[in-house]
Amino acid sequence: MSTEAITEEIPGTIIFDGRQAMKGYALNKMCYSFNRAENREAFRRDEEAFMEKFGLNEQQKEAIRRRNVLDLIDTGGNIYYLAKFAGIFGLNVQDVGAQQTGMTVEAFKEMLRKQGE
Amino acid sequence: MARIVGGLTTSHIPAVGNAIAKQLFDDPYWKPFFDGYPKARTWLDAVKPDVAIVIYNDHGLNFFLDKMPTFAVGAAFEYKNDDEGWGIPMLPPFKGDPKLSWHVIDSLVRDEFDICSCQEMTVDHGFTVPMQLLWPDYAASGIRTIPISINTVQHPIPSPARCYKFGRALGRAVESYPEDVKVVIVGTGGLSHQLDGKRAGFINKEFDLMCMDKIVGEPETLAKLSPLELVREAGAQGAEFILWLAMRGALTGKVRKLHSNYHIPISNTGAGMLVLENAA
């Protein structure tokens, strides 16, 4: 397995490759478990215990506590699994996009709309 | 002999599943999107395919990073939908065609595509949304399905050229099936969108429209893109366009565009639809 980063830079983009997948395995595994209602409920009941069970590292735990999507991605999270985490709080991909770009949700939606003009 | 009568492409945005559940067909936000589909359904009603082979990407329902197949082919009697975690309504199961599945699997592996066969496979929005858009009463319609999942979650993803060749092999597989069945190939996902990172919200209308044009008559041009070029131009998740190229590869007859639709934005995405006829 290659552990080298895909080096070509695309601005504002982290390529989810083998390196990120290794780094984020525990975090993504926890988020994947949110497919099941009982796991979403267990997380709501005791976040710290749930994160501990999946073996998240301290940076990942802190990113989860702060609900910080950019940090979650930086620590190896993959957006498809993170979407399941966001779903626990009723957040959709516009909410997540707004947070990552530092916009209000309304401004983010307007930015999307404008690209169709 | 089996015959591929055409190919369809459609975005598979999960929010569409919610909009269908809420019947928002005439809502001003949704109308320009949903208005594209009656023409596709009219064509399907006229052609009456027996089987839909749906090329999609699993987004973390059936597959996790513990085992991530590059190409996975369904071989089940039925395919169940399940909870994806963020509230899209769950749907009744989809009927399979395991006999054709195994013929396709045998043929693909003989053709050097060493796929993963799946006798159990839950299907997520990548599969269910296109089925709902194209066969709203799929359970009653009798349409049989074969889901094919291609990895777009974790790089290295298969290149556009590889997916196009996979489609060619899929086309050969279907057309060597001795039974008289009519098959449509559905390429799902895309077009441009990026959900993650500081570039979240990126859409590229010009690139999308170029892809929708060239995929009809010059798919080889698009197959030359590298995976990273695709990410740069179409966004991190817009790389799903490889699923469209796999569909296009399977159409080896005379391909003609019958209908198309494109609208920005649906959710965070440039949403595209095509109906392609594949005449003998």
Side-chain angles (χ1 to χ4, degrees):
Chain A
M1 198 192 87
S2 168
T3 53
E4 282 174 30
I6 292 174
T7 50
E8 189 181 346
E9 280 290 317
I10 300 171
T13 305
I14 292 178
I15 298 288
F16 188 80
D17 57 6
R19 218 171 69 139
Q20 288 299 103
M22 283 176 71
K23 188 161 74 171
Y25 193 76
L27 169 62
N28 289 316
K29 192 170 178 179
M30 180 182 84
C31 293
Y32 177 67
S33 86
F34 295 144
N35 277 333
R36 302 187 73 87
E38 64 262 34
N39 292 328
R40 300 195 290 271
E41 194 44 49
F43 177 84
R44 278 195 202 98
R45 261 198 320 270
D46 188 344
E47 285 188 25
E48 293 297 324
F50 203 79
M51 290 194 286
E52 196 56 41
K53 182 178 142 189
F54 281 86
L56 272 61
N57 65 31
E58 190 47 42
Q59 291 97 320
Q60 290 166 336
K61 284 180 182 172
E62 190 54 25
I64 287 280
R65 287 178 199 120
R66 294 175 48 238
R67 320 289 191 235
N68 187 306
V69 180
L70 287 176
D71 287 351
L72 287 166
I73 288 167
D74 197 45
T75 56
N78 176 288
I79 194 67
Y80 291 133
Y81 309 112
L82 295 177
K84 300 172 194 294
F85 169 63
I88 293 178
F89 310 100
L91 301 175
N92 64 28
V93 288
Q94 284 92 53
D95 299 314
V96 169
Q99 190 200 84
Q100 293 177 95
T101 52
M103 294 184 195
T104 64
V105 176
E106 280 316 307
F108 186 77
K109 284 182 178 171
E110 180 60 12
M111 181 270 277
L112 292 170
R113 196 190 61 75
K114 277 203 165 135
Q115 293 180 88
E117 286 173 356
Chain B
M1 294 296 281
R3 197 159 61 85
I4 297 175
V5 292
L8 299 107
T9 63
T10 173
S11 301
H12 60 214
I13 304 146
V16 173
N18 281 324
I20 291 172
K22 291 180 192 156
Q23 307 231 321
L24 300 176
F25 309 118
D26 292 318
D27 176 274
Y29 179 87
W30 288 100
K31 192 171 164 46
F33 172 78
F34 282 120
D35 277 357
Y37 290 87
K39 282 178 183 166
R41 292 195 289 265
T42 302
W43 179 76
L44 287 168
D45 285 344
V47 173
K48 295 188 179 54
D50 304 292
V51 180
I53 297 181
V54 182
I55 303 167
Y56 76 110
N57 55 321
D58 180 86
H59 305 74
L61 179 66
N62 189 67
F63 297 114
F64 178 60
L65 303 172
D66 58 338
K67 302 169 194 75
M68 182 56 71
T70 299
F71 297 101
V73 180
F77 286 92
E78 69 169 17
Y79 302 95
K80 291 192 173 75
N81 180 222
D82 208 344
D83 189 350
E84 293 191 51
W86 28 251
I88 185 174
M90 276 186 268
L91 299 170
F94 298 81
K95 198 174 170 190
D97 187 338
K99 198 176 159 195
L100 176 56
S101 283
W102 282 109
H103 173 84
V104 165
I105 290 164
D106 287 344
S107 179
L108 284 171
V109 174
R110 261 202 315 276
D111 232 339
E112 301 184 353
F113 281 91
D114 307 315
I115 54 83
C116 170
S117 59
C118 302
Q119 289 203 63
E120 289 188 48
M121 194 172 184
T122 48
V123 285
D124 73 8
H125 67 271
F127 174 94
T128 63
V129 164
M131 286 302 297
Q132 283 184 288
L133 287 166
L134 299 170
W135 290 271
D137 55 350
Y138 63 85
S141 78
I143 187 82
R144 305 192 295 276
T145 64
I146 300 178
I148 296 183
S149 175
I150 300 182
N151 165 40
T152 70
V153 171
Q154 172 182 273
H155 288 258
I157 62 172
S159 70
R162 184 68 175 156
C163 291
Y164 185 67
K165 285 181 196 162
F166 177 86
R168 305 281 290 189
L170 175 64
R172 286 192 291 274
V174 172
E175 280 163 2
S176 63
Y177 189 57
E179 294 191 16
D180 282 326
V181 291
K182 284 186 276 187
V183 177
V184 289
I185 314 287
V186 185
T188 77
L191 287 163
S192 61
H193 63 301
Q194 177 152 340
L195 305 176
D196 52 343
K198 288 181 181 156
R199 198 171 71 142
F202 171 80
I203 295 175
N204 189 343
K205 182 178 178 178
E206 198 182 335
F207 183 75
D208 287 348
L209 293 175
M210 185 277 287
C211 287
M212 287 184 72
D213 177 45
K214 287 211 186 318
I215 198 169
V216 182
E218 305 169 56
E220 290 87 359
T221 317
L222 300 172
K224 284 182 190 143
L225 292 163
S226 74
L228 286 184
E229 280 170 330
L230 201 49
V231 169
R232 188 192 305 115
E233 297 301 323
Q237 286 71 39
E240 287 171 347
F241 185 68
I242 59 176
L243 311 170
W244 289 41
L245 279 171
M247 176 286 298
R248 181 61 186 84
L251 310 183
T252 53
K254 277 176 80 173
V255 175
R256 190 164 65 98
K257 182 173 85 176
L258 300 179
H259 305 293
S260 71
N261 193 45
Y262 181 75
H263 178 67
I264 294 174
I266 288 299
S267 191
N268 293 23
T269 304
M273 185 211 81
L274 279 175
V275 180
L276 303 178
E277 179 188 61
N278 184 46

